[in-house]
Every structure is written in structure tokens, then in C-alpha cells.
Amino acid sequence: MLAATLPVLLLAGCASADDETAPGTEEENGSEAAESTPHGYVEGAEEAAEPQSRLVLADAATGEIRVLDLITGEITDVGHAQEPTGIRGDGRYGYLTAADGSVQIVDSGAWTVDHGDHAHYYRAAIALGETLPAGTVPYKDTEVTVADGTVRAPGVDEPCAAPAGTAVTRAGLVLGCADGALLITAAERESGTEEAEFTAERLPYPDGTAEDERAGAFRHRAGSTTLAATAVNGEGFWTLDVLTGQWEFTADDSVIAVNAVGNGGVVLALTEGGELLSLDPDSGEEIARTELSGDSVEVDSSRAYVSDVAGQKVHEIDYADDLRIARTFDLDIAPSHMVETGR
């Protein structure tokens, strides 16, 4: 169990969150204290009026980690990771994968608790977390293990050949497998039980998809259930609607990185020729194009962030305004790996 470091504490429903009160306040002030505690509150956090967006960045060559606050522009030196080869996030934490498969957790200190009809936004201290051994995927206060071609969690024991790529979405945890994706969903926790039960649903590739055509690392906007990924053979990219299980492939061997705005929005693609494209997710039709060298792209509800490893920069893009560059952040590391948090 990893309750001290995992996002289940932040994703609890309103009823459970109402039970959390600051130490000593209930005894001193009665029931009013419980009513005034913000939903999703975690001790030491500060509630804000808007999302506290941040970028977790890591240098593949040196292992140096930085967190860029997109509200203030402040850059925090978080520490060092051992040979980072990839990154993913869950809205608060960045998970840096090492060459040996271990995972270094980075607490960005920013997150959103979405209750559907309203949301709460929090900021807290930035910190370097623990390192998890190879084969553990933290999700919903437990570890979903991936070993020997099998995915295991309470209630789940499913085959997953050649696992690669994970994404935490509103619909559940998505893991890439040789034949498609596996969607792991947490069931309602029964009263008195310590651990949630999980279910698994297979989202297979279209018939005829070759092994080297499969999706690589998944990227998506926080809160979205539309994933994007370049094909491992470099011949194009995939989008996946997690809710319907529908895969769409766009052939384009110039694309080196993609991300999806989601919910019928555009797909943003970086090309090896130094361009950023805005594409229709269904037809692949080009909507906008701009010259911009980059290596990876993150998206939120209004902006995209393009990492420039060689230039040691991150560009903020207004993708609704013809891919206009809104801001550029200069860094003291090469942003080889990047993920947005706070959304």
C-alpha cells in the first residue's frame, strides 16, 4: 500500500472529504469546522481560486529534475533521478521511469479535485518522493503490478503481452499491451473494506494491426478520456477513445510526438522537420501549422507546452489562436521528459 504518496487521497468523493478536518478544530469549534474544511483537503495544502498548473521536467543526460510553476514562472530544483527514460503523471505526481524499470516519484505540489459540478484547486510544497521498484504502477491507493505478461490488482488478473505505456484517465488506468489496451477501473469500495476492488476491460486494436504498428507512450489532457500516441514503427500516430474503445490511426511518418486535447478537440503533432501541427482527430486534416522545434507536447484546456531539449526551453502555445507562442521559459536543464500537473 502506498497511501502516503498516491492520488486516491485527492480523488475522494465529497462525502469522505467532508470527514477530514484540521487537527483540533472540531473539538474547539464544533461542527462548523467540519463544514468549512474544503473538499479534498490535504494537511499543509492551500486552496486556490484557479488551477495551479506546473510542469515536471527532467534531463535524461544528467537526471536533474525541475518543477516549473506556470502561474508565477518560478522554477524549483527538486533533485535528481537515476537515468530517467520516460515520464507520466496523474494530475499531481510525476513518475520518472529509470532504465532499470524503477520509478522516481516527484510531488509537484499542485492538483485539482474535480467533483463534476465544481472543482477545488490546491497548491503545496514541491518534494522528491520515494522510488518504486520495477513493475509497480501506483493507482487508487494500491499498486497495479505488471509482471511476466500479466496485470494484477485486487480482483484483476489479466494477460498483457509486451506491456508498454500507461495513462491515468477519468475513466480509469489504461495500460498498453501488444493486442491493444487494458482499462483498469476501480469499483465502489464496500463498507469496512480496506482495499478497492478493480475490473478490467480490453480495448483491442483494429483487426490486422501489426506488432510494430502498435501505440507507444500515451499522452492526453488531464481529465480527458482521449489518448494519443505515436506508432512504434514511426509511420504515424494513434488516438484512442477510452470510453468507446475506438482506435483511429493517421499515417504520417514525419510526426515524432503527439498529444490530444480530447472531447472532439484537435490533435497536436510535432514533426521532425521542426513544425507544430494542429490536426483534426478523425480525418487527419491540417487545421494550423507553425515553425517550432520541439521534442514533446503537453496540453491542458487552453494551452499546450512544447519542450525544446536542444534549446533548453519550454514554449507555451495558444492552440486555439493559430498555434501562437504565448510565452517561452528558459531553463538550466534540457527538458527531455515533461508532464503537466495541477489540472
Side-chain angles (χ1 to χ4, degrees), residues 46-55 67-72 91 108-112 120-124 340-343:
E46 174 187 353
E47 187 165 15
E50 61 181 349
Q52 301 298 292
S53 300
R54 294 174 177 175
L55 294 176
V67 172
L68 168 59
D69 189 317
L70 295 169
I71 303 297
T72 66
S108 75
W111 65 93
T112 293
H120 297 268
Y121 311 110
Y122 295 98
R123 60 187 299 126
E340 185 177 4
T341 63
R343 292 282 178 167

Side-chain angles (χ1 to χ4, degrees), residues 81-195:
Q82 183 65 37
E83 299 180 357
T85 60
I87 193 171
R88 69 177 182 85
D90 61 10
R92 173 176 178 176
Y93 299 95
Y95 300 95
L96 284 162
T97 305
D100 64 1
S102 62
V103 178
Q104 173 65 62
I105 299 176
V106 180
D107 185 351
S108 75
W111 65 93
T112 293
V113 180
D114 188 352
H115 293 296
D117 61 341
H118 69 284
H120 297 268
Y121 311 110
Y122 295 98
R123 60 187 299 126
I126 297 167
L128 191 65
E130 65 179 303
T131 300
L132 305 179
T136 64
V137 181
Y139 178 63
K140 293 287 187 181
D141 199 25
T142 191
E143 295 176 16
V144 178
T145 61
V146 185
D148 301 322
T150 303
V151 176
R152 294 183 176 87
V156 169
D157 191 335
E158 289 285 332
C160 179
T166 62
V168 177
T169 74
R170 186 186 296 272
L173 173 66
V174 179
L175 300 112
C177 307
D179 60 353
L182 195 64
L183 174 63
I184 308 296
T185 304
E188 289 294 328
R189 187 178 302 188
E190 295 183 7
S191 178
T193 61
E194 295 183 358
E195 202 168 55

